[in-house]
Structure formats: structure tokens, C-alpha cells
Amino acid sequence: MDVEELAELLPQLVLAGAELDELVTAIGEVLRADVMVTTADGRQRSALITVPMRARFAEAGLTDNTGRIRVEWLGSWDDEASQPVVGTRIHRLQIAAPGQTLGYLIAASSRGFTEVELGALHRAATAIALSITRDQAVSAVENKYRGDFLRDIFLGRAGADEFVREHVIGFGWEMSGPMQVLVAQIDPHAPFQPHGTLEEQRQWQERFANAWRQVAGSIDRSIPVADFGSEVVAVLPGGDAETASALVRRMVHTVAGDKGGGRRPFSVGVGRVVVGAAGLPEAYAQARRAVEVGRRVHGGSTTTWFDELGLHRLIAMVPDNEELRAFAHDVLGELAAETDEAATLRETLQVLLNTNFNVAEAARTQFFHYNTMRYRVGKLERLLGPIVSDQNLRLDVAVALKVLEVLSA
């Protein structure tokens, strides 16, 4: 088969329902080149690439430690600055649908490409776009049905145990042993990240969900993963604490990569390990609470286990937020106000609690003069009472500060 025949064959293969691997194989064999199709952020979809070429990509820094191709480092084939692999010509083409980047077609050859071959690559990118669009349409229906069913499980309305069990088996999910629920959310208003239009945000969420599906599938295809619109949810094997924790960290690390290729920062919450579908609603609620409180307390790009929330965990389990808010206002009084002055005094109060009211150490921590900190201690006692000497009052104040943290999450 020659290059011109390849250009005619690819659309026929797509119409015949050929898989992406078949298209990539045909392109690579006819062009005698290493070929790879990636997602928009550089995750490999399909590849026909030799071990030596993979090694050369790695040596040139074109792959991160999760295997992602740094597609953002590759530019035009005729731009020497974008040819990081010595002695190799790399051509990167965008695979696109209307208003959306589906990924990239990457071709590498030590001999370079002729004009005819470059034309064939451009037509190949169009054929691959049709193939991916077709697969996405089928997957969208399947993913929605699976996602809706998983949501029903979390809401306790999926039906009788036998009905749930039959569907779980039909989906190929493993939900018979210990399980932990993971909730991942793209961080809103992350620093140095564009906010994006509603359409861009939708595309980010789709890309985010697909990343979790791909990573989960590479580990164990029986792991349920669903996109709930504003969050991605996965039901992971539980097992012993160390193994379960390691699995979560591995998946988070792989999805995050090195943040290149347009990846958005995200936070994760993990619920307690449960056995059986009946425990999943509570585990899901815990995971959602963990990601919310964890982001509030530690900032974005964090992974938080519900069991590690400490006092925050107990506060989060109180269902009546108004009662919690009333407790905080009763204990803190003016310090519970949403003003800059109250927030500054609460920060000083927390430092004093952390240092067991060691005025000198607290002053050094906040870069205050010793007399300034003594003045603040006096002001805090006038507002709260004898907090320096009354241990019970000090405990109430510490809990009230944590309550405000949780309610602000």
C-alpha cells in the first residue's frame, strides 16, 4: 500500500467500524514511522512506537513520570526549536471536532516526511477525529447510564439488592468486598488558571472525567468511575489501610501528572472503607465533605481522607449547621463576625492556642512585638473571658474556631 492509497483507505476503515489501533497501525506501517494518538493533555490513546523511540522521547524530556507525552512542547515540524529529539523529525497535528480539541496525532521519523506524506497525515488526523467522535458518542450513552445508576446507589434509590447486584455484574464492576468512595473536583478559581467560559468549563470537566476513567481502567477495569457534572466519583477497592491509601495516591498522582497539557488543578476527598452497597451512600457523603473541608483548611490540590479530619470530622457529622453556627457565635461573640478585624484576631487567637498561650513564641510566629501580642491577649480576654487561665473556656474557643472553618468550607 502506498501513501495515496492510505489516504483513501482510512475513511473506509472508519466507516467499517475499525478501532483506533487499526488506524494507527495502518498509518505507521505505510509511512514507516512511529505514530501515536494522544488525548488533548497528552495521555496515550493508541500507539505504534518502538522501544528505542520511546527511550529517545524520555531522554528528551517529552514524557513525565506518569507516561504523559508533553504535547505542549511539540510545535510545527519545520520549526527546529520544536524538534527536541536529536536526529528525529516529529510532526504533531491537532485532532479536532467543531469547537473542541480531541487530541493529537504525533508522527516521528529519523528520515523526515515528504510533502505527500504530510498531506496524508493531515487526512489521517481527520479520519481519526471521525473515529474518536464516533466512539465518544457511544461512550457518552453508556457512561450516562452507568453514572445515573451509580448516583442512584449513592442516593439509596437503586432498588433491591438483587437488582443492584445484577446491574453491577453487567457493568463489569467489582463491588463485593471492602470499598472506598473517592470524589474529585476541579478546584474553582485556582491561581494562575483562566476561569473559562461555560463551554470551556464543560470541556475541562469532560477531559477530567475521561482522565479518571483512563487511569482507573489502566489499573483495574472493574473500578466504577462516573462523572456527576461538577465532580468525578470512583468506587475503589478498600482492603487494608496502607494498600487503600497507596491506590488513592497512585491514581491522584497519575491523573495530575506534571500539570501540563492544560490539566486543571483538583482536590480529592475519600470516605471511610465500607462493605456492601448499603454503606456507599454514607461513604459518598463523607468523601464529599472531606474534599470540601480539606480544600478550605489546606487549600486546593489536596487529598483529604474523612478519617483524618480530626475534630473537623466530628463537626461535619453534626447535621444542624444553624446549631453549630449558634454555638460559634455564643462562644466567640464579636470574633465570629465576617470582618477583617475579627478574622485577624481569630488568626492571632489560633496562634496563641497552638503555642499554649506562650506570648513570646506567639509574637515571634506572627512577627509582632512582644508588647503588641500582650495587648492582643488583653483584648481577647476582654472579648472572650479568662481564656488564659480557664481550660474549659479555652477548649470551647478552640472548637468554635474549627466550627467556623467547617461552616466556611
Side-chain angles (χ1 to χ4, degrees):
M1 183 190 308
D2 60 25
V3 176
E4 293 183 357
E5 290 175 334
L6 171 67
E8 296 177 0
L9 174 65
L10 291 177
Q12 297 176 19
L13 289 175
V14 173
L15 291 174
E19 298 292 333
L20 184 58
D21 288 345
E22 296 179 61
L23 304 181
V24 169
T25 298
I27 296 168
E29 289 179 347
V30 172
L31 297 183
R32 292 175 291 121
D34 293 277
V35 178
M36 181 184 304
V37 174
T38 74
T39 60
D41 57 355
R43 291 185 182 85
Q44 180 180 305
R45 289 181 182 269
S46 178
L48 181 69
I49 184 169
T50 63
V51 173
M53 184 58 75
R54 281 194 183 277
R56 295 171 75 177
F57 268 57
E59 290 169 3
L62 288 177
T63 57
D64 71 7
N65 57 10
T66 66
R68 184 185 79 86
I69 302 298
R70 293 189 170 103
V71 290
E72 66 275 13
W73 288 16
L74 298 172
S76 173
W77 70 278
D78 57 356
D79 178 7
E80 291 295 337
S82 64
Q83 295 295 316
V85 180
V86 178
T88 300
R89 305 301 295 181
I90 301 176
H91 195 56
R92 187 201 72 174
L93 296 93
Q94 185 183 57
I95 302 169
Q100 182 181 9
T101 298
L102 301 174
Y104 294 98
L105 169 61
I106 300 171
S109 172
S110 58
R111 61 177 179 80
F113 297 97
T114 67
E115 290 297 327
V116 174
E117 289 172 335
L118 289 175
L121 279 173
H122 280 275
R123 290 192 291 273
T126 301
I128 290 172
L130 291 173
S131 175
I132 293 176
T133 302
R134 177 200 64 197
D135 292 344
Q136 283 185 339
V138 175
S139 296
V141 175
E142 294 178 348
N143 290 334
K144 185 179 187 308
Y145 181 61
R146 294 183 180 202
D148 287 347
F149 187 75
L150 191 59
R151 189 194 298 271
D152 285 343
I153 291 177
F154 290 149
L155 295 178
R157 63 185 190 193
D161 290 346
E162 186 59 32
F163 179 79
V164 171
R165 188 158 41 249
E166 288 179 0
H167 276 67
V168 166
I169 294 173
F171 292 149
W173 292 345
E174 175 52 54
M175 298 175 65
S176 59
M179 297 171 286
Q180 54 183 344
V181 176
L182 177 150
V183 170
Q185 300 173 355
I186 295 176
D187 289 330
H189 312 307
F192 312 112
Q193 294 286 336
H195 295 335
T197 63
L198 289 176
E199 177 60 23
E200 288 173 331
Q201 292 177 26
R202 183 188 65 78
Q203 292 179 10
W204 292 338
Q205 180 65 24
E206 288 181 357
R207 185 184 301 176
F208 185 54
N210 287 333
W212 279 98
R213 291 190 188 100
Q214 186 171 348
V215 170
S218 67
I219 294 173
D220 187 343
R221 300 188 68 83
S222 68
I223 293 176
V225 178
D227 181 6
F228 285 0
S230 61
E231 61 192 21
V232 176
V233 183
V235 181
L236 309 180
D240 64 272
E242 184 176 348
T243 302
S245 175
L247 176 59
V248 170
R249 296 188 187 282
R250 175 186 174 188
M251 294 185 68
V252 169
H253 173 70
T254 306
V255 172
D258 59 3
K259 307 294 193 301
R263 298 185 185 197
R264 306 287 298 184
F266 62 91
S267 295
V268 170
V270 185
R272 288 173 172 168
V273 174
V274 298
V275 178
L280 289 175
E282 183 177 1
Y284 171 58
Q286 292 168 353
R288 295 194 73 195
R289 196 57 175 159
V291 71
E292 292 169 2
V293 177
R295 183 186 284 135
R296 170 61 183 173
V297 176
H298 304 295
S301 299
T302 56
T303 300
T304 307
W305 278 261
F306 185 77
D307 276 340
E308 294 181 356
L309 290 176
L311 182 58
H312 290 96
R313 185 184 82 196
L314 294 178
I315 296 171
M317 293 176 71
V318 176
D320 190 345
N321 284 349
E322 290 307 314
E323 182 62 31
L324 287 171
R325 187 171 283 107
F327 169 79
H329 280 263
D330 287 345
V331 173
L332 298 175
E334 295 178 23
L335 290 184
E338 296 181 3
T339 63
D340 292 341
E341 181 182 4
T344 300
L345 284 174
R346 288 199 301 271
E347 182 180 351
T348 298
L349 178 56
Q350 187 63 63
V351 170
L352 286 164
L353 289 167
N354 293 343
T355 58
N356 197 27
F357 275 81
N358 185 317
V359 177
E361 185 177 348
R364 285 194 296 271
T365 300
Q366 290 207 294
F367 302 101
F368 288 163
H369 189 277
Y370 178 82
N371 288 337
T372 301
M373 183 59 72
R374 282 183 59 84
Y375 169 78
R376 290 204 168 193
V377 170
K379 184 173 183 178
L380 288 170
E381 288 211 297
R382 288 194 297 274
L383 292 171
L384 301 172
I387 189 172
V388 176
S389 58
D390 189 334
Q391 295 294 329
N392 290 327
L393 176 58
R394 192 182 298 186
L395 176 60
D396 287 346
V397 167
V399 172
L401 289 174
K402 297 299 182 185
V403 165
L404 289 184
E405 282 186 351
V406 171
L407 293 179
S408 300

